[in-house]
Amino acid sequence: MFVIDLTITEEVDDAVAAEHLAAHRRWFASHVESGDFLLLGPRRDRSGAGIILARAESRAALEEILAGDVYHPEGATYEVAEFKATMGAPALAELLES
């Protein structure tokens, strides 16, 4: 399991920014649908940033997923923390590792 703190750093005109954001959202949707991304959303404390809770077989597999983002590698930073989920609410039991 991984927590990704993503910050968009790209500086482009409004038309390009809108195009990139639309592609970014499609990328999110495809990985939510496939089960790679479990939860995601914008940070309330920082503009142009968000958090993703992701599941991947390995760090290399996650890096491959991140490489598909329109902002990767020059338009965003991706701070990744890997962790082992061992405790959680009953509704999240399927995500826990023994």
Side-chain angles (χ1 to χ4, degrees):
M1 188 94 51
F2 299 89
V3 175
I4 302 136
D5 188 349
L6 184 150
T7 303
I8 297 170
T9 57
E10 180 179 68
E11 294 184 26
V12 293
D13 65 47
D14 290 345
V16 172
E19 184 179 308
H20 284 184
L21 184 57
H24 184 63
R25 288 179 175 158
R26 286 191 302 273
W27 174 75
F28 279 149
S30 72
H31 288 287
V32 168
E33 186 175 318
S34 70
D36 298 326
F37 295 165
L38 305 172
L39 293 169
L40 60 87
R43 289 189 56 158
R44 292 182 178 216
D45 63 340
R46 197 167 70 213
S47 179
I51 300 291
I52 304 167
L53 180 62
R55 181 169 35 190
E57 292 181 22
S58 64
R59 177 66 182 253
L62 178 68
E63 293 294 340
E64 189 174 317
I65 291 167
L66 295 178
D69 187 11
V70 67
Y71 294 114
H72 191 274
E74 300 296 325
T77 61
Y78 304 81
E79 294 181 38
V80 177
E82 185 173 3
F83 75 102
K84 181 179 178 178
T86 58
M87 187 180 292
L92 302 175
E94 70 181 61
L95 302 177
L96 301 179
E97 301 175 44
S98 53

